[in-house]
Amino acid sequence: MPQPRLFLVYEPEKACLDRLVSQGYPTERAAEISSYLAQSTDLAPEFAEIWREAAKRGITFTPLELDQAAAAITSADPATSLVWTLTDGIAYFRGGSAPALARLANSRTLGADDSLFALCQDKFRSGAVLAALGLPVPQAGLARDGRWLVEPPACENGWFVKPNRLGAKIGIWPDSHSRDLGHALELSRRVFSHYRDDVVVQPYVAGRNVRASFLDVTGHADMSSLGVFLVDSGGDFQTMADSLALYGDTGADARATGAYVEPALVPLAATQPAADAEIRRIAAKLINGLGLRDVFSIDLRVDADDTVHLIEFEVCPGLPCFDFRAYCRAQWSMSLAEAMAETAARRLVG
């Protein structure tokens, strides 16, 4: 029988940039958009380490660029194959096709099914589903190039404006916390001009930023294995500039020059145990009601009175990012490569 094989499917940052430029995006904008795929750039130097850790556990690690995935997955033995999708996307990025390819080939996948890969990339639609599940997600309006498709609710604290399908919770610019709806529509025109995207306009919620990370290394982990951390970056919310400083070559340059310092991570339970417990309840509902499994992350805001606001979920968390590495160390006492290999081995060889 062939040796069990882990396929890690990723969309390269450079390939995405070149494709966007060919579609007419200015190079600067294409570089900003493709920077979200820098996790594949950051993880590539560790492929050899992941291969070694996988080999120790009796499996073969095979990283696959997205354009090679169809041929490789459909020709592999589904009985001994596991597909792990590193980069998702339904608009600018195409990684959401990988779990569908695996399903077509009858191969096992690690992570949520392909329907959630599409849902989580459309913030307006995913918010509607989360609200229907009774989860504490802010109600949202939707605008396109200066006109309302759905008007947002009134809010004394203003509104937060973010792209709908660009794949992040970020507000792009420092003025994305808008104090009036006229300005929110102006931001929608700016986003449409730069990125050809709609904007989600939500009531602004105060509080501290929290990231909850999950990787089911053992194959039967429960919510006690969820890592819930306050993320203190010194700012209220993440902008495009902050995002660029996290990953890839731009991030490496920012860290090398001291222009960027990684945010501090503090376990939420240390200061707000009630909010920590509520977030674990929310995560359990996402698993049972929505179908999250294996690996995911959740972004939230937490008030001083322990009120929790669910902002979004991700089925492809940034594995090589500082917060997920810290989670692997804190929860599983493993490096990222060890945790990935062990997770795959539990599915492939038991």
Side-chain angles (χ1 to χ4, degrees), residues 63-73:
L64 279 178
E65 293 190 11
L66 183 61
D67 289 336
Q68 303 167 348
I73 291 172

Side-chain angles (χ1 to χ4, degrees), residues 23 51 60 98 127 162 184 234 236 247 279-280 302-304 321 335 344:
Q23 293 173 355
W51 185 90
T60 299
K162 62 184 179 182
D236 185 32
Y247 309 102
I279 289 170
R280 294 178 194 276
V302 176
D303 291 335
C321 194
S335 69

Side-chain angles (χ1 to χ4, degrees), residues 291-321:
L292 292 188
R293 62 184 176 92
D294 297 333
V295 57
F296 59 83
S297 66
I298 312 169
D299 287 291
L300 313 104
R301 298 271 273 189
V302 176
D303 291 335
D305 65 359
D306 292 332
T307 300
V308 174
H309 307 275
L310 173 60
I311 304 302
E312 68 175 27
F313 69 93
E314 293 289 350
V315 295
C316 279
L319 298 183
C321 194

Side-chain angles (χ1 to χ4, degrees), residues 46 90 111 133 240 328 332:
E46 298 179 62
I90 57 169
L133 285 170
M240 174 64 81
C328 290
W332 299 111

Side-chain angles (χ1 to χ4, degrees), residues 199-252:
V199 295
V200 172
V201 182
Q202 295 175 314
Y204 171 82
V205 292
R208 297 193 289 179
N209 295 314
V210 172
R211 167 67 59 84
S213 300
F214 183 76
L215 179 64
D216 187 359
V217 171
T218 64
H220 51 76
D222 58 22
M223 288 303 90
S224 66
S225 296
L226 188 74
V228 185
F229 294 93
L230 286 164
V231 184
D232 184 5
S233 62
D236 185 32
F237 57 87
Q238 192 180 78
T239 64
M240 174 64 81
D242 296 331
S243 179
L244 289 171
L246 281 173
Y247 309 102
D249 295 335
T250 304

Side-chain angles (χ1 to χ4, degrees), residues 16-269:
C16 177
L17 185 149
D18 291 344
R19 178 168 47 79
L20 292 172
V21 170
S22 74
Q23 293 173 355
Y25 284 90
T27 300
E28 180 182 0
R29 301 299 170 223
E32 288 176 345
I33 295 168
S34 62
S35 72
Y36 290 110
L37 299 183
Q39 63 166 317
S40 62
T41 304
D42 290 340
L43 192 58
E46 298 179 62
F47 284 166
E49 182 182 355
I50 300 170
W51 185 90
R52 287 192 295 270
E53 293 297 333
K56 291 178 185 178
R57 294 162 172 82
I59 62 177
T60 299
F61 171 66
T62 303
L64 279 178
E65 293 190 11
L66 183 61
D67 289 336
Q68 303 167 348
I73 291 172
T74 55
S75 63
D77 180 359
T80 58
S81 301
L82 179 69
V83 177
W84 189 337
T85 303
L86 177 65
T87 50
D88 54 14
I90 57 169
Y92 310 93
F93 320 123
R94 300 170 297 148
S97 62
L101 286 172
R103 184 156 61 90
L104 184 65
N106 203 31
S107 289
R108 287 173 287 177
T109 58
L110 192 133
D113 67 42
D114 43 302
S115 66
L116 290 187
F117 274 74
L119 181 65
C120 78
Q121 288 292 302
D122 189 310
K123 304 308 177 188
F124 184 76
R125 292 179 182 176
S126 65
V129 173
L130 296 174
L133 285 170
L135 293 168
V137 59
Q139 185 180 347
L142 187 69
R144 178 180 300 156
D145 196 18
R147 63 185 178 90
W148 294 115
L149 303 180
V150 178
E151 291 193 13
C155 184
E156 293 182 358
N157 294 328
W159 297 265
F160 192 68
V161 183
K162 62 184 179 182
N164 186 46
R165 299 181 303 163
L166 194 48
K169 62 190 172 296
I170 70 171
I172 302 293
W173 301 288
D175 62 345
S176 293
H177 179 189
S178 179
R179 299 296 179 175
D180 67 78
L181 290 178
H183 180 246
L185 287 176
E186 171 55 34
L187 287 172
S188 81
R189 284 188 284 268
R190 204 187 306 170
V191 167
F192 193 84
S193 173
H194 284 204
Y195 309 110
R196 307 177 192 172
D197 199 8
D198 300 339
V199 295
V200 172
V201 182
Q202 295 175 314
Y204 171 82
V205 292
R208 297 193 289 179
N209 295 314
V210 172
R211 167 67 59 84
S213 300
F214 183 76
L215 179 64
D216 187 359
V217 171
T218 64
H220 51 76
D222 58 22
M223 288 303 90
S224 66
S225 296
L226 188 74
V228 185
F229 294 93
L230 286 164
V231 184
D232 184 5
S233 62
D236 185 32
F237 57 87
Q238 192 180 78
T239 64
M240 174 64 81
D242 296 331
S243 179
L244 289 171
L246 281 173
Y247 309 102
D249 295 335
T250 304
D253 291 342
R255 292 188 292 273
T257 61
Y260 177 78
V261 177
E262 287 185 353
L265 295 174
V266 179
L268 181 63

